[in-house]
Amino acid sequence: MPTNFLTEDQRKRYGRFTGIPDEGQLAGSFLLDQTARRRAATAKGPRNRLGWAIQLGTLRYLGTFLDDPADVPAVVVDYVAEQLGLPPAALAGYGTAEHRWDHQEQIREAYGYRKFDFDQWFSLARWMYQRAWIGSERPTLLFDLATKRLLDHQVLLPGVTTLERLVSGIRERAEKRLWATLAAAPTAPQAQRLQQLVVVPGGRRISELDRLRRSPRDISPRGVVKALERYDALKTFGGPTWDLSAIPPGRIQALVRFARAARAQAVAELGGHRRLATLVAFAAVMPQVAADEAIEVFDLVMGDVIRDSATKMTKKRLRSLKDLDAAALLLRQAWLAVTTTAADPEGDIRAMLAAMDVAPVHAAADIVKELAQEPDDGFEQMLEARYNTIAKFLPDLLRHLDFHAGPDGQDVLDAVTFVTSLKGRRRPIQSGEAPTTFLSAAWLRRVFPPKPAPVGIADKRAYVVAPAEALRTSLHRHEIYVPGLRRWGDPNARLLSDDTWMAARPRVCEELDLATDADATLAGWVDRLDRSHRELVDGLAANPAVRIERQDGRDRIILTGLDRLEVPPSLDELNRQVDARLPSVDLPEMVLEVNSWVPYLAEFTHVSEAESRMDDLELSVAAVLTAEATNVGMEPIVHDGIAVLSRDRLFWVEQNYIRSQTLSRANARLVAFHTLLPLVQAWGGGELASADGLRFLTPVRTLNSGPNPKYFGTRRHGATFYNFLSDQFSGLHGILIPGTQRDSFYILDGLLEQETALRPVEVTSDTHGASEMTFGLFRLLGYQFSPRLADAGSATLYRADPGADYGPLNPLTRDRINLGQIAANWDDVLRVAGSLHSGTIKASEVLRVLAPGGKPTPTGKAIMEIGRLDRSAYLSTYFADELLRRRVNTQLNRQESRHNLARKIFHGQKGELRQSYREGQEDQLGALGLILNIVVLWNTVYFQQIIDEMRAEGTHVRNEDIARLSPLKFAHINFHGRYSFALPAEVVGGQLRSTRKPADATASD
């Protein structure tokens, strides 16, 4: 393991912390500005490390080459003596005597610092070992954390190489323990089988590891069977039988990530216990992943079958309407003839029937019987006709997976269990032996058809198909689940356990600012609601945008839309100047130029977490990022004869360096640099963010796409890139959502998972995310949810105090918040909040706990009541505050502009997402998000330069106009062509390009 993993910049930064020896070497320059040095050195406080470093550094500066203070300028001797409280004569012979060591001890005691002795070394090593064992933090991060810990505990920092060796040794020891523990889990035969995973069998092109780690792509009945066979093959290695509970899950996941991403040859080349440990982790985790993916394939196939059946039923109905109409008209004529004869006192119905031809009437009745449907009939007839398709995979699904059920899914599970017993059975199914409580009326008519079939005898084909449809529905509602799975498991199992919750309860309440007693927290929320309602009422007369009208027998709030803000001539001129002066740039040059300002490409480390780096790695990473973000593939990026841009090298870098973790770290570094730029503060403080989805068509069949005719057209599939944008125009995070599932499920996921330095406290989205449950979860976690509401006046306003007088709002606030529901379930509510805050469950998963099958649990109802309380307070503020409405609208417009830029960048292959696997899709969209932030950062830096130039030329630039500039411009960027990764000479070394002059722009126009 390398012991010199720090870069030169990191070493210099560490030297600035220590003051020894780097600060000592700089002490002479410190002494030049005596006034500033005196102020820093005489400042009080135990954390004044600067003053300590100056004094101690000065002593070492003097002691390195001066034996007699006479050799030092008198002013220096006097200054140092004054700082140390000594007479100048006391410095005589300082370079050879022991005075300096005594003085160093005095300085340490004065500032409360301790030496880095054995006790401190042991304490730090034990702390580092615990972190290294629990998590897979990089050496540089562990080094920084150790430095911070020593500084916080006021321990003198050791030399940089000492701390480097300690970090490397601790990580190596923790990893060897991990590898040895995992390698000891399987039996000898199991270990031998695992070692064969990386061997390419004779006659094949890939190893078994390559085959088993690939997610299913065949979305068909045969694909379900193949996915289940893969799950069964992974189980045979024995992973589910091993007890790995003593190993932190994060460490296992890191090894699995490497096993799934690296080439089988790279895994085979691992030495010692590491290769077997990696394969053990793979075999332990992948069965659950494979089971999740097998159910996913089943879900997609059943969804296709159901949609196809519904489409065929609709077409059949349309085709049969002509025959049904003709038969109905004939029956009507016959009925009128019968009723006319019956109404005649002398009429003889039997004679009339004997005289008429009744054969057409019987034929018409048969047509009506065949074509007419009951009011509750749907596509059951056509779905039953797909029995042969469903029978190809349903028995295997039920045999391979161990389904469990909650109370609401037990009847379906009973039926599914009964279906498994039908294999090979010849005798008919009797009504008394088959579970039927889950059947709808339409399915009952098909399962137990009326005469001439025997009464009580079930139609086997219909009975097999009906549970298959019900199983899919119950899996979506999580009424039925497979224990241990992430996607299709029991979501309640991811909440904090009883013991863990009791231990974490005080900490969670403190961090979320929630009282353990519901009354204390509810009092503040109720007071906020009351104030919001009263502020709306007080300002109603002076608010021309809001009025109350009576419509359809009830009062409604009518909210007038916002007028468009006028664009002052000065803003038009500023935009024209910026557009004219911005230098033209190719996208690859922009990627490299931003890296020269902030080395974000250094965050791309090997998937094995090794710190060694090949020559010019950053150039190869930049090329791969450009290929991914533009969606053009590698071919336009490859340059024959240039080793760093060769085809093999680029594909190797893509496989080993581009992943969600490195993309996230690089993005966080860009955002941290961007937020410190002076111009950025004019756009926002980072407290507001927006969330919205960018849709991509996926022409390849994959588990991570879904149908939606509104966005993708009929019979086409797509995915959603749900991304988060700060009010500073920087992208915070992105989530891949299959199809177009409800976006509101993922808003909190993005906030809780994002790793940038920004911590927004308010989030806005479009109306589709404004559910009561979402409002409640936001309030519990301390965020303000501020959606843009399309029809705000139709929303219900609630009150908490039944006796409060809100004047004209009284008819609108008749519904009350059920505070008792909240108080009665407060501890369970806190537990849900704590589980989200601790990361044991995602917000998109917790909604399945709170409202399985769309029916809220008592805890879910309590959170909905909190959501009603919070949404009502927000609505009143939304009506009363035009600035709030404008802020929300402006932020969402920024998001739309960012999506336009994203479409411009992601131009290759018709803008379609053609990656087959989820990891590839996430990496490609993550690269797109990173490039978007690179464009924003580059534009921001040059905006600042242009504004500075304009002001230097005497042009007055208003701050109000700067606040309305957008760094999402792209007319000056070339996204197309064959890409060259070579920086112009003028920007090498971090220099900025020359902006275009207005005269040049005029000439070009």
Side-chain angles (χ1 to χ4, degrees):
M1 181 165 295
T3 58
N4 55 342
F5 49 81
L6 293 181
T7 64
E8 192 60 32
D9 288 341
Q10 289 170 319
R11 293 175 184 276
K12 290 179 180 179
R13 183 178 63 189
Y14 184 79
R16 288 195 294 271
F17 276 122
T18 62
I20 308 171
D22 298 30
E23 295 288 1
Q25 300 301 319
L26 296 174
S29 62
F30 282 160
L31 295 175
L32 296 179
D33 184 2
Q34 296 183 43
T35 304
R37 300 283 74 79
R38 183 187 301 273
R39 285 198 300 267
T42 56
K44 303 299 182 182
R47 291 193 175 273
N48 184 10
R49 292 187 294 273
L50 178 60
W52 169 81
I54 292 170
Q55 295 182 30
L56 186 55
T58 301
L59 293 175
R60 284 190 171 257
Y61 170 75
L62 294 175
T64 51
F65 59 90
L66 297 177
D67 291 335
D68 192 334
D71 296 334
V72 187
V75 64
V76 175
V77 175
D78 292 344
Y79 176 75
V80 175
E82 179 186 352
Q83 292 298 303
L84 299 177
L86 299 171
L91 294 180
Y94 193 83
T96 57
E98 296 298 324
H99 296 73
R100 55 178 173 172
W101 306 116
D102 296 336
H103 292 164
Q104 288 180 21
E105 187 66 30
Q106 293 174 21
I107 293 171
R108 281 193 290 269
E109 291 179 359
Y111 283 92
Y113 280 85
R114 291 169 289 173
K115 291 183 179 180
F116 187 71
D117 54 20
F118 176 78
D119 291 340
Q120 298 300 329
W121 178 93
F122 183 78
S123 175
L124 179 64
R126 184 173 58 182
W127 174 84
M128 272 201 293
Y129 184 78
Q130 290 174 345
R131 292 197 68 100
W133 173 248
I134 294 173
S136 54
E137 294 164 335
R138 294 171 295 144
T140 51
L141 177 58
L142 193 58
F143 182 93
D144 290 340
L145 292 172
T147 302
K148 182 179 183 302
R149 177 180 171 83
L150 290 172
L151 291 175
D152 289 343
H153 287 76
Q154 293 188 271
V155 177
L156 292 182
L157 299 183
V160 62
T161 55
T162 300
L163 194 54
E164 269 188 303
R165 287 193 299 269
L166 180 59
V167 169
S168 296
I170 291 295
R171 289 187 80 248
E172 184 175 8
R173 181 182 171 192
E175 290 188 348
K176 284 184 176 179
R177 175 189 170 190
L178 170 70
W179 300 336
T181 305
L182 284 171
T187 63
Q190 289 173 338
Q192 188 175 1
R193 279 201 64 205
L194 287 171
Q195 298 282 14
Q196 294 301 311
L197 277 174
V198 294
V199 177
V200 179
R204 292 190 180 182
R205 299 176 57 188
I206 62 174
S207 67
E208 193 72 1
L209 177 66
D210 291 317
R211 186 182 69 84
L212 292 176
R213 66 186 178 184
R214 289 180 178 176
S215 297
R217 291 183 55 191
D218 185 2
I219 314 300
S220 68
R222 174 59 185 156
V224 179
V225 176
K226 289 192 294 185
L228 291 168
E229 291 172 349
R230 171 176 173 251
Y231 165 65
D232 196 45
L234 284 163
K235 278 201 312 179
T236 60
F237 290 99
T241 66
W242 302 329
D243 181 12
L244 304 180
S245 58
I247 302 175
R251 302 306 306 273
I252 297 178
Q253 290 296 338
L255 291 176
V256 174
R257 184 168 60 245
F258 174 68
R260 297 190 69 180
R263 294 175 301 161
Q265 181 183 354
V267 178
E269 292 172 353
L270 297 176
H273 290 306
R274 186 178 181 185
R275 176 174 59 186
L276 181 56
T278 302
L279 296 174
V280 167
F282 176 83
V285 171
M286 283 303 295
Q288 290 77 24
V289 175
D292 260 328
E293 291 176 343
I295 298 177
E296 196 78 30
V297 178
F298 161 75
D299 175 55
L300 292 174
V301 172
M302 278 300 300
D304 288 344
V305 170
I306 291 171
R307 282 187 295 273
D308 184 60
S309 299
T311 301
K312 287 183 177 179
M313 195 67 207
T314 301
K315 290 181 178 180
K316 179 183 177 182
R317 290 283 290 171
L318 291 174
R319 288 194 301 266
S320 64
L321 279 178
K322 183 176 181 181
D323 295 335
L324 184 61
D325 289 344
L329 290 173
L330 181 59
L331 290 174
R332 178 178 181 274
Q333 293 174 359
W335 174 248
L336 291 176
V338 169
T339 55
T340 301
T341 304
D344 184 359
E346 298 180 0
D348 186 349
I349 296 178
R350 286 174 294 181
M352 184 270 295
L353 292 175
M356 67 180 295
D357 184 6
V358 296
V361 178
H362 287 304
D366 290 338
I367 292 175
V368 171
K369 177 184 176 182
E370 179 183 355
L371 300 181
Q373 291 186 353
E374 296 285 347
D376 56 354
D377 274 346
F379 51 82
E380 290 81 4
Q381 178 184 353
M382 289 299 175
L383 188 58
E384 181 187 350
R386 302 297 298 273
Y387 166 81
N388 290 333
T389 298
I390 295 172
K392 291 178 181 178
F393 57 82
L394 185 62
D396 289 297
L397 183 78
L398 303 181
R399 185 175 66 254
H400 282 80
L401 298 176
D402 182 21
F403 290 105
H404 288 231
D408 294 331
Q410 190 59 51
D411 54 349
V412 177
L413 183 60
D414 291 341
V416 167
T417 305
F418 181 77
V419 168
T420 60
S421 68
L422 296 179
K423 184 177 181 180
R425 174 170 168 167
R426 295 185 179 277
R427 60 186 179 86
I429 304 171
Q430 303 293 330
S431 60
E433 62 176 330
T436 59
T437 54
F438 73 99
L439 293 174
S440 65
W443 272 119
L444 274 172
R445 286 192 295 272
R446 304 212 66 81
V447 171
F448 297 103
K451 292 181 179 180
V455 178
I457 301 299
D459 184 316
K460 179 180 176 181
R461 297 167 63 92
Y463 192 82
V464 169
V465 173
E469 184 205 6
L471 175 63
R472 178 176 183 264
T473 302
S474 296
L475 283 168
H476 274 276
R477 294 175 175 176
H478 287 267
E479 297 167 348
I480 291 181
Y481 56 88
V482 178
L485 302 191
R486 181 87 195 189
R487 172 72 173 86
W488 302 101
D490 180 11
N492 290 282
R494 299 199 173 275
L495 294 176
L496 291 172
S497 63
D498 294 339
D499 294 340
T500 305
W501 166 236
M502 292 308 298
R505 193 171 187 266
R507 174 184 59 82
V508 168
C509 291
E510 179 182 358
E511 293 176 356
L512 294 180
D513 195 23
L514 298 171
T516 55
D517 177 27
D519 294 340
T521 300
L522 286 176
W525 292 346
V526 168
D527 182 63
R528 174 174 175 260
L529 174 64
D530 182 70
R531 283 187 284 106
S532 299
H533 285 342
R534 295 189 186 282
E535 288 172 3
L536 173 60
V537 173
D538 293 343
L540 201 57
N543 189 348
V546 177
R547 65 184 186 276
I548 298 176
E549 291 185 357
R550 193 159 188 83
Q551 297 180 355
D552 300 326
R554 60 186 292 264
D555 287 350
R556 280 176 53 95
I557 294 180
I558 306 299
L559 179 65
T560 305
L562 292 169
D563 295 330
R564 184 175 181 179
L565 285 176
E566 294 184 3
V567 179
S570 58
L571 178 57
D572 270 338
E573 177 61 19
L574 178 59
N575 271 308
R576 193 188 70 80
Q577 288 285 343
V578 169
D579 291 342
R581 293 172 183 249
L582 273 174
S584 298
V585 60
D586 291 341
L587 182 62
E589 294 179 5
M590 179 181 286
V591 172
L592 294 175
E593 187 174 358
V594 170
N595 186 65
S596 69
W597 307 337
V598 49
Y600 67 94
L601 292 176
E603 298 294 340
F604 289 89
T605 56
H606 194 271
V607 68
S608 65
E609 297 296 336
E611 294 291 329
S612 57
R613 300 176 72 81
M614 62 179 67
D615 294 337
D616 297 321
L617 175 62
E618 285 78 7
L619 187 60
S620 299
V621 172
V624 173
L625 289 174
T626 303
E628 294 278 86
T630 55
N631 203 30
V632 297
M634 292 296 182
E635 196 58 37
I637 307 296
V638 171
H639 285 258
D640 295 329
I642 303 178
V644 295
L645 297 178
S646 65
R647 181 177 285 99
D648 290 344
R649 163 116 168 194
L650 293 181
F651 278 110
W652 185 81
V653 168
E654 177 191 26
Q655 185 179 41
N656 291 282
Y657 287 86
I658 309 300
R659 59 187 187 279
S660 59
Q661 292 79 11
T662 54
L663 287 164
S664 181
R665 292 200 298 261
N667 189 64
R669 196 159 184 176
L670 289 176
V671 173
F673 182 88
H674 181 258
T675 195
L676 295 177
L677 298 176
L679 185 62
V680 172
Q681 303 305 313
W683 296 330
E687 295 87 6
L688 175 65
S690 55
D692 197 12
L694 185 61
R695 320 291 182 184
F696 291 96
L697 190 68
T698 53
V700 297
R701 293 307 301 267
T702 170
L703 293 181
N704 303 294
S705 65
N708 191 297
K710 177 180 178 182
Y711 295 104
F712 309 129
T714 306
R715 303 183 70 84
R716 306 183 79 180
H717 292 68
T720 299
F721 182 48
Y722 202 57
N723 55 105
F724 300 79
L725 181 70
S726 76
D727 55 3
Q728 297 179 343
F729 290 95
S730 52
L732 304 179
H733 190 48
I735 299 175
L736 177 67
I737 304 176
T740 53
Q741 297 178 15
R742 288 189 59 182
D743 297 348
S744 62
F745 290 2
Y746 296 89
I747 298 178
L748 268 176
D749 283 353
L751 282 180
L752 297 174
E753 292 174 3
Q754 70 97 9
E755 299 178 5
T756 71
L758 295 179
R759 289 293 179 265
V761 296
E762 184 179 7
V763 183
T764 183
S765 73
D766 280 328
T767 304
H768 53 255
S771 68
E772 293 172 344
M773 195 78 77
T774 305
F775 268 99
L777 292 174
F778 265 80
R779 176 50 52 201
L780 284 169
L781 293 174
Y783 295 105
Q784 174 59 55
F785 187 38
S786 303
R788 178 171 61 187
L789 302 172
D791 189 14
S794 64
T796 302
L797 289 175
Y798 290 83
R799 65 164 64 212
D801 182 1
D805 182 12
Y806 298 125
L809 283 186
N810 283 335
L812 294 164
T813 57
R814 292 174 179 169
D815 296 314
R816 288 179 54 191
I817 304 293
N818 188 348
L819 299 177
Q821 178 78 27
I822 302 174
N825 296 277
W826 184 244
D827 193 67
D828 290 331
V829 168
L830 290 178
R831 184 177 179 179
V832 169
S835 300
L836 286 169
H837 183 64
S838 303
T840 61
I841 190 170
K842 294 185 176 183
S844 53
E845 297 170 341
V846 83
L847 290 170
R848 306 168 195 157
V849 177
L850 301 174
K855 296 179 289 186
T857 63
T859 306
K861 291 177 181 178
I863 294 178
M864 288 180 66
E865 293 295 331
I866 296 173
R868 289 170 177 172
L869 195 156
D870 192 66
R871 186 174 69 169
S872 297
Y874 169 72
L875 281 170
S876 288
T877 306
Y878 188 80
F879 292 137
D881 191 350
E882 180 181 342
L883 292 179
L884 169 62
R885 299 198 299 275
R886 286 201 180 278
R887 186 172 77 247
V888 168
N889 195 62
T890 297
Q891 181 62 23
L892 288 174
N893 287 342
R894 289 175 175 178
Q895 185 98 44
E896 290 297 327
S897 297
R898 186 173 189 260
H899 287 177
N900 292 336
L901 174 58
R903 294 289 187 196
K904 190 71 176 179
I905 295 173
F906 200 81
H907 65 273
Q909 303 183 86
K910 300 187 291 186
E912 297 174 343
L913 188 61
R914 299 189 178 185
Q915 294 281 353
S916 300
Y917 301 106
R918 182 182 185 89
E919 292 80 6
Q921 293 176 355
E922 288 178 333
D923 293 347
Q924 185 167 13
L925 296 178
L928 174 61
L930 188 69
I931 295 295
L932 282 166
N933 273 355
I934 289 172
V935 172
V936 168
L937 176 54
W938 192 95
N939 284 346
T940 302
V941 169
Y942 279 95
F943 279 12
Q944 185 66 65
Q945 183 181 0
I946 291 170
I947 291 170
D948 292 343
E949 289 177 356
M950 293 175 63
R951 285 173 170 167
E953 294 165 3
T955 303
H956 175 63
V957 181
R958 300 169 63 239
N959 291 333
E960 295 86 349
D961 295 336
I962 293 176
R964 295 178 65 179
L965 276 178
S966 171
L968 296 169
K969 298 176 181 290
F970 54 80
H972 58 293
I973 307 173
N974 175 31
F975 299 110
H976 304 88
R978 192 164 184 88
Y979 300 92
S980 172
F981 289 85
L983 278 175
E986 65 174 322
V987 300
V988 174
Q991 301 297 318
L992 296 183
R993 302 164 188 263
S994 299
T995 58
R996 294 188 292 167
K997 302 304 179 186
D1000 299 336
T1002 303
S1004 64
D1005 293 341

